[in-house]
Amino acid sequence: MKSHYEKSFDQHRTKKCPVYLLDQYGYVPIANKRIVTKSVIWPVENRFITADPQLYPTSTVWIVFSNEIVLSWLRANGVFLHEPKIASFFFGLKIPDIMSENGKHRILMVSDFFFPNFGGVENHIYYLSQCLIELGHKVVVMTHAYNNRSGVRYMTGGLKVYYVPWKPFLMQNTLPTFYGTLPIIRTILIREKISVVHGHQAFSTLCHEALMHARTMGYKVVFTDHSLYGFADVGSIHMNKVLQFTLADVTQAICVSHTSKENTVLRSGLPPEKVYVIPNAVDTAMFKPAPERLSNNEIVIVVISRLVYRKGADLLVEVIPEVCRLHPNVRFVIGGDGPKRVRLEEMREKHSLQDRVDMLGAVPHANVRSVLITGHIFLNSSLTEAFCIAILEAASCGLLTVSTCVGGVPEVLPDDMIVLAEPDPSDMVQAITKAINILPQIDPQTMHLRMKKLYSWHDVARRTETVYDRALRCSSQPLLERLSRYLTCGAWAGKLFCLVMLIDCMLWQFLQLWQPDRDVEVVPDATLTSFRPEEMSWDSETLR
Amino acid sequence: MDESSAAADSFENGRYKYIHDIHNGPPEAIDVHRIVLQRSSQKKLLIFCFLALLLFASPPFFFFVQQLNLLTTLPWSLLVGGLFVRLLSQKLVKKESVIILPAFGVQLETQYGSGRTIRRFVPISKILKPVLNECVTPVTCYWSLALIIRGEEELMLVFKELYPPVKMLVPIWKAICAAIDVEET
């Protein structure tokens, strides 16, 4: 019993015009042989065919699973397309080249770091997801379980979060079992009909595992790196190798600043063309300046950061007494907690600065704005930063910023809103003096309005959407070509990575036999507006 | 019950079969939803277990009791195998049903392979709402139907042993919601 395609194939063959029945990689599924003729050209990146119209004036080309770019190219070059629809699952060949409907994507954000934990990466994922939902896409977040918060939760706007019950073992990271997370990730990808997987933060093991499994299953993958890392110490060397493995096969990568792009490209050996720079943003509606301008009699310098070595708490210990000595009308407000808090308290005692230095302790994020608006100047002394959101928040509140010139900090604010200094105490004291002198020229409201125009999460979401569009237009590559990319990672590492990926592929095939894709139920897209059972779109017809 | 019963709906999906009956009779129409585990997989499993036991139970006897010959050890292995199969059939679920008695309550039944049936009754006034939950385990994610009981912390699972697909859970959920709504008005 011949199939529809086979019958038409025979029909056209009798008309003596060449018929090409092809898939994306140039294979003829019926005859299982490859069509390569003189006029067929296969560029490496995109599997186009060019059936020369002069040589084959009446050639009928059948395209089976291709994407819109190939089809439109062919039409433009005068090739007649018979049934130019995208036909998938033809002859049991299943390559998940999932095209998004009407340009809207279904995105899975994966990271170990998400709410209820608080920090920059978590904030980034949340705000980006909310803005993408407003643009019409569907976003699902996957992270590990926190204490007894496990299962499925819904956040504002219908953002679905999967708290997968894998226990974190070190610094909020899931135990890296290489293949342990394959079943649950495959289940989530199929039931939510995901088209793009977006991983965040190089330090997250769940992210690396999810990206590896998503690549094995053929999904398009985007990775965002949020921090700078070193090259010299043992931890960094191992981390960079893991990153090299993940990024060897990533579709697109995003970095939060140009410095971060340089750092990521050097660490992972990724071609720079694949890396996009999309800076973070700040919620300017939440960080508004004080309604009344503060008087300039007493200048308040605010510091809000975790008091750890990386954030330059040791620099603060040197800088604060010097500044207090030079400028008698300056007061400090220090918010935040950490191991270095003891040193700051000692400094306070030693120089008797109890009335001039206020230590607030840990400040919850909701109260950060109220602390910021009590000050004139914001001091950031971190020793390394990919992109500092704290100074964005301060600038949005109308504070003048003094910061160390490290990492991506010079790229964040315009020159008239920030005074930069070397991470050296004397240089920083000079910078603070300069800032105090500039202070009368600063207007908080103007600063806030400028920040509103410069940074917004909607802009970040639009740019990220462009990255997703580019990622989905990239062609899917066969397994062998992908494995060859891993071999370039290193003499021993390359072979090891290839082996890891091969085992992953085999495990995936085994899982597909154990529980075929069609046995995994797809979640119906229920709208959250109505609560009455009759109005919910859970009809048996739509589910079948 | 000698009332007329109308088979309102029934469909199959792989391992599970969903049957929906409505018994029309005094005092009111009783809704019965049944989920049956397909016999083929159950039978195959039983036969496989029996044969495996037969195969593996016999050699240890030969090792330990060398004087005895096949005629005396075979009944022993058959006995052990039979006991094992009986134990297994007690654990294997044949079908689970939900009987909605309007204005009365909901009865949840679990019938095992050996014929043993466990029934739980929940009065309609105690049910706050039925909910469809997505349960996430370390390896998979599946749907389950549970009842929120007034005054209790834990949800009561409607299907304790089986994991039916969501297509079968939705009509049952709607029916229980409708029964509660009627009760409230």
Side-chain angles (χ1 to χ4, degrees):
Chain A
M1 184 61 189
K2 286 199 175 171
S3 79
H4 164 72
Y5 287 101
E6 283 171 317
K7 282 190 211 151
S8 302
F9 187 94
D10 290 339
Q11 211 178 8
H12 281 271
R13 205 159 37 176
T14 54
K15 285 190 201 161
K16 289 200 188 180
C17 68
V19 175
Y20 299 93
L21 182 65
L22 294 167
D23 67 3
Q24 268 183 314
Y25 313 120
Y27 285 92
V28 179
I30 300 175
N32 205 28
K33 58 180 201 269
R34 193 168 178 167
I35 297 248
V36 180
T37 68
K38 278 190 282 261
S39 62
V40 173
I41 300 167
W42 296 90
V44 174
E45 276 306 311
N46 299 301
R47 305 281 175 174
F48 289 139
I49 72 145
T50 127
D52 194 342
Q54 266 117 29
L55 280 177
Y56 299 102
T58 55
S59 65
T60 304
V61 178
W62 291 37
I63 310 291
V64 180
F65 330 78
S66 185
N67 53 30
E68 278 305 314
I69 295 188
V70 176
L71 294 175
S72 52
W73 189 93
L74 288 166
R75 282 190 206 109
N77 281 275
V79 175
F80 172 73
L81 294 176
H82 184 94
E83 280 200 26
K85 294 196 289 271
I86 299 171
S88 56
F89 308 122
F90 184 57
F91 287 117
L93 278 177
K94 193 173 143 224
I95 299 169
D97 200 18
I98 300 160
M99 288 305 294
S100 46
E101 297 143 14
N102 65 18
K104 296 301 171 199
H105 308 290
R106 302 174 71 94
I107 303 146
L108 176 72
M109 302 269 189
V110 187
S111 179
D112 269 312
F113 307 105
F114 196 64
F115 299 140
N117 204 31
F118 213 87
V121 180
E122 294 87 337
N123 232 14
H124 172 105
I125 300 176
Y126 178 73
Y127 278 117
L128 180 61
S129 308
Q130 290 295 332
C131 291
L132 283 170
I133 290 174
E134 264 180 61
L135 284 172
H137 306 285
K138 174 150 163 57
V139 183
V140 177
V141 178
M142 178 174 150
T143 181
H144 68 76
Y146 288 87
N147 299 327
N148 54 358
R149 182 185 288 226
S150 128
V152 172
R153 299 273 174 131
Y154 288 88
M155 295 183 87
T156 325
L159 176 65
K160 189 167 180 182
V161 186
Y162 280 86
Y163 289 97
V164 179
W166 281 85
K167 279 260 173 321
F169 86 114
L170 175 71
M171 283 161 60
Q172 292 298 329
N173 277 324
T174 337
L175 186 69
T177 54
F178 283 104
Y179 307 112
T181 42
L182 177 61
I184 181 71
I185 288 176
R186 175 175 170 256
T187 309
I188 293 178
L189 286 173
I190 297 175
R191 72 202 305 267
E192 302 285 345
K193 293 188 291 202
I194 300 291
S195 56
V196 181
V197 179
H198 190 162
H200 291 266
Q201 190 61 312
F203 199 60
S204 156
T205 48
L206 188 64
C207 164
H208 287 295
E209 283 191 28
L211 295 188
M212 170 171 86
H213 297 314
R215 274 316 276 159
T216 311
M217 296 190 259
Y219 290 87
K220 300 287 188 285
V221 149
V222 178
F223 175 74
T224 298
D225 203 355
H226 292 263
S227 314
L228 296 176
Y229 289 99
F231 296 84
D233 54 309
V234 179
S236 296
I237 294 177
H238 288 306
M239 165 92 82
N240 292 346
K241 212 64 197 172
V242 171
L243 190 70
Q244 211 178 7
F245 166 66
T246 303
L247 293 188
D249 201 18
V250 79
T251 319
Q252 304 288 356
I254 300 176
C255 287
V256 293
S257 65
H258 294 281
T259 317
S260 176
K261 176 175 172 174
E262 239 185 272
N263 187 266
T264 304
V265 166
L266 286 171
R267 275 158 55 214
S268 63
L270 194 62
E273 303 88 52
K274 270 195 180 175
V275 186
Y276 293 82
V277 175
I278 302 180
N280 278 330
V282 68
D283 189 6
T284 42
M286 192 164 128
F287 290 94
K288 286 202 169 89
E292 292 164 3
R293 229 187 133 158
L294 297 167
S295 72
N296 279 15
N297 298 339
E298 191 186 45
I299 307 219
V300 180
I301 301 185
V302 180
V303 178
I304 298 190
S305 75
R306 281 177 296 137
L307 302 174
V308 293
Y309 169 71
R310 256 177 80 122
K311 299 288 181 182
D314 299 302
L315 272 177
L316 281 180
V317 172
E318 313 274 323
V319 162
I320 293 178
E322 194 57 32
V323 170
C324 288
R325 191 179 64 83
L326 283 175
H327 304 275
N329 62 338
V330 160
R331 216 161 53 83
F332 278 88
V333 171
I334 302 179
D337 207 350
K340 298 281 180 183
R341 189 178 173 175
V342 185
R343 279 203 75 189
L344 284 164
E345 304 265 9
E346 278 174 9
M347 177 263 310
R348 233 175 128 202
E349 296 288 327
K350 189 167 148 195
H351 297 272
S352 324
L353 294 168
Q354 285 90 340
D355 53 339
R356 297 186 66 186
V357 175
D358 282 330
M359 307 270 301
L360 300 175
V363 181
H365 197 252
N367 303 350
V368 165
R369 186 227 165 209
S370 50
V371 174
L372 283 174
I373 56 173
T374 60
H376 301 86
I377 295 179
F378 184 77
L379 177 61
N380 176 48
S381 54
S382 35
L383 300 177
T384 169
E385 282 284 4
F387 185 95
C388 194
I389 302 192
I391 55 183
L392 276 186
E393 292 171 354
S396 179
C397 285
L399 277 80
L400 178 64
T401 310
V402 174
S403 175
T404 44
C405 186
V406 290
V409 171
E411 302 174 33
V412 177
L413 286 176
D415 290 327
D416 52 341
M417 288 195 197
I418 186 168
V419 179
L420 293 168
E422 297 299 313
D424 178 62
S426 46
D427 216 22
M428 287 187 73
V429 172
Q430 270 182 351
I432 295 179
T433 313
K434 188 171 159 199
I436 295 174
N437 294 336
I438 304 178
L439 203 53
Q441 300 155 14
I442 301 293
D443 178 25
Q445 295 292 344
T446 326
M447 234 183 176
H448 174 79
L449 290 168
R450 261 182 93 184
M451 288 302 294
K452 238 169 127 167
K453 279 200 225 97
L454 285 174
Y455 286 100
S456 90
W457 281 109
H458 295 284
D459 185 41
V460 173
R462 262 194 301 270
R463 289 160 86 163
T464 313
E465 191 188 10
T466 319
V467 177
Y468 293 147
D469 289 335
R470 298 255 176 92
L472 281 174
R473 275 195 243 128
C474 285
S475 53
S476 310
Q477 273 130 7
L479 182 64
L480 287 174
E481 200 185 297
R482 283 175 41 221
L483 285 179
S484 63
R485 282 209 207 155
Y486 286 110
L487 283 173
T488 58
C489 286
W492 289 104
K495 299 184 177 65
L496 180 67
F497 294 160
C498 276
L499 187 66
V500 167
M501 283 308 279
L502 274 170
I503 298 178
D504 204 30
C505 286
M506 287 194 311
L507 281 173
W508 176 50
Q509 293 298 333
F510 169 70
L511 259 186
Q512 280 192 306
L513 286 170
W514 178 264
Q515 187 189 34
D517 280 354
R518 61 173 183 276
D519 276 355
V520 181
E521 307 166 299
V522 170
V523 174
D525 281 327
T527 50
L528 293 174
T529 46
S530 55
F531 290 95
R532 299 181 63 78
E534 311 89 61
E535 287 169 23
M536 289 280 275
S537 55
W538 285 59
D539 295 319
S540 3
E541 284 78 31
T542 56
L543 285 173
R544 276 186 215 199
Chain B
M1 286 196 270
D2 53 349
E3 307 89 353
S4 62
S5 63
D9 210 4
S10 100
F11 54 89
E12 283 186 33
N13 176 27
R15 291 175 60 201
Y16 298 101
K17 184 170 173 192
Y18 168 72
I19 305 164
H20 179 202
D21 291 340
I22 302 177
H23 294 259
N24 296 312
E28 291 122 345
I30 299 174
D31 236 357
V32 181
H33 305 260
R34 278 192 214 103
I35 298 210
V36 183
L37 194 64
Q38 297 289 53
R39 276 181 169 272
S40 59
S41 60
Q42 219 182 348
K43 239 191 192 168
K44 267 191 237 167
L45 190 65
L46 277 174
I47 294 173
F48 172 70
C49 286
F50 187 81
L51 283 175
L53 209 70
L54 207 63
L55 209 61
F56 289 113
S58 330
F61 272 111
F62 286 117
F63 275 120
F64 289 124
V65 192
Q66 272 142 6
Q67 296 94 343
L68 299 170
N69 54 7
L70 187 65
L71 275 170
T72 37
T73 54
L74 194 61
W76 275 112
S77 46
L78 276 175
L79 190 70
V80 170
L83 275 171
F84 185 74
V85 166
R86 183 160 174 271
L87 216 72
L88 213 65
S89 73
Q90 280 189 337
K91 285 274 157 48
L92 282 175
V93 181
K94 198 163 83 171
K95 76 170 174 218
E96 292 213 47
S97 342
V98 176
I99 303 173
I100 302 172
L101 305 150
F104 232 0
V106 176
Q107 168 140 309
L108 311 165
E109 281 184 15
T110 309
Q111 194 172 29
Y112 292 94
S114 56
R116 183 170 71 113
T117 315
I118 295 184
R119 295 187 177 89
R120 295 170 286 161
F121 181 75
V122 187
I124 202 96
S125 52
K126 280 210 91 180
I127 304 178
L128 185 59
K129 259 274 186 234
V131 282
L132 282 163
N133 270 333
E134 284 178 90
C135 305
V136 183
T137 65
V139 288
T140 186
C141 185
Y142 59 92
W143 289 95
S144 69
L145 179 63
L147 302 171
I148 305 181
I149 308 287
R150 287 180 208 267
E152 275 182 46
E153 288 287 326
E154 291 215 355
L155 299 173
M156 177 186 284
L157 282 174
V158 171
F159 295 106
K160 268 197 176 164
E161 316 274 344
L162 297 180
Y163 300 106
V166 73
K167 284 187 284 195
M168 297 183 187
L169 292 176
V170 169
I172 307 176
W173 173 73
K174 280 190 181 165
I176 303 181
C177 274
I180 298 173
D181 276 342
V182 162
E183 172 64 16
E184 275 174 17
T185 55

